[in-house]
Amino acid sequence: MKQNPFFYVLILLIALTVLSAVVANSPLENAATIIMVLAAFKFLAVAFYFMELRHANTFWKALLIAFLTIFIGLVLII
């Protein structure tokens, strides 16, 4: 029987959320940066799997990743 990747993506999202909570409660200096990067990975996982962006045109994939990079860069600069 073929395994459904839905559960793997769901477990990944739960693990990244728990990791974000652990980092938020740790005394790290750059915790905000780590949490933003983890949130970016969660955003990409949701966009590519649940919104089925992996079947979209390459232009839309590149545009999403460029937007995410610019957005996180601006948030971390400010």
Side-chain angles (χ1 to χ4, degrees):
M1 186 166 107
K2 186 178 177 185
Q3 291 290 334
N4 189 359
F6 171 80
F7 294 111
Y8 296 125
V9 175
L10 185 64
I11 295 299
L12 173 71
L13 291 172
I14 291 171
L16 288 174
T17 302
V18 169
L19 187 60
S20 295
V22 169
V23 170
N25 291 324
S26 69
L28 294 174
E29 290 180 17
N30 55 354
T33 305
I34 296 170
I35 291 172
M36 288 296 292
V37 170
L38 291 173
F41 283 128
K42 289 192 293 186
F43 174 76
L44 289 175
V46 168
F48 278 97
Y49 184 74
F50 294 110
M51 295 170 55
E52 297 194 8
L53 191 63
R54 66 185 181 275
H55 300 300
N57 191 345
T58 307
F59 170 75
W60 295 112
K61 294 176 188 179
L63 189 67
L64 178 76
I65 293 172
F67 169 76
L68 182 65
T69 304
I70 292 169
F71 180 76
I72 289 181
L74 288 175
V75 167
L76 291 177
I77 288 172
I78 295 173

